[in-house]
Amino acid sequence: MRKARLENFDIYLKEQLKDEKLRKLYERECAKVALAQKIAVLRDEKHLRQVDLAKKLGVSQQFISQIETGEGCNLTIETLLKIAKSLGRGISISFPKPSKRRSCCLKVT
């Protein structure tokens, strides 16, 4: 029964994403959520609280919260580099072709 609902939603979403404006907003939000989740996971793997990461970056805990919830500002490359470095990571950027199955084309690894 649940599978049918998900399939119905997939059909509905596919239809809605034919609208170019909505599709662009959807892709942007998918990218923000993927990035936010990845930062939160990496922070958690380092056993850091938001306040700990904030101190390392010289920003407020609220700023880290906004990043991890995908709210607020667009992150700059400089900020992403600082976050990555503070988590013992680097940054890799690629431009993959979007798959037919997924309308969101950001892959965060």
Side-chain angles (χ1 to χ4, degrees):
M1 184 98 134
R2 283 186 162 204
K3 187 174 182 180
R5 288 184 183 164
L6 287 176
E7 287 173 359
N8 288 341
F9 179 75
D10 287 342
I11 293 167
Y12 171 78
L13 181 60
K14 186 176 180 180
E15 185 64 31
Q16 294 299 308
L17 293 177
K18 289 179 182 178
D19 178 309
E20 185 178 347
K21 184 176 179 182
L22 180 65
R23 187 179 65 252
K24 286 181 181 181
L25 288 171
Y26 179 79
E27 289 173 351
R28 184 176 178 187
E29 288 305 309
C30 281
K32 286 172 66 175
V33 167
L35 184 57
Q37 287 177 335
K38 186 63 177 182
I39 290 170
V41 166
L42 291 173
R43 178 185 54 76
D44 193 52
E45 286 175 358
K46 289 287 191 179
H47 306 289
L48 295 172
R49 299 172 298 157
Q50 287 182 346
V51 70
D52 300 325
L53 181 57
K55 285 180 184 177
K56 286 181 132 193
L57 295 171
V59 298
S60 69
Q61 178 273 327
Q62 292 83 3
F63 181 72
I64 301 301
S65 177
Q66 287 176 343
I67 290 170
E68 291 185 2
T69 57
E71 295 177 8
C73 65
N74 290 321
L75 294 175
T76 64
I77 294 293
E78 182 179 344
T79 301
L80 286 172
L81 286 168
K82 286 179 183 178
I83 292 168
K85 184 176 180 182
S86 69
L87 295 171
R89 296 294 184 114
I91 291 181
S92 174
I93 299 172
S94 65
F95 297 93
K97 291 182 180 179
S99 67
K100 291 180 182 177
R101 192 154 193 272
R102 291 180 49 197
S103 56
C104 189
C105 58
L106 179 71
K107 179 181 178 186
V108 182
T109 57

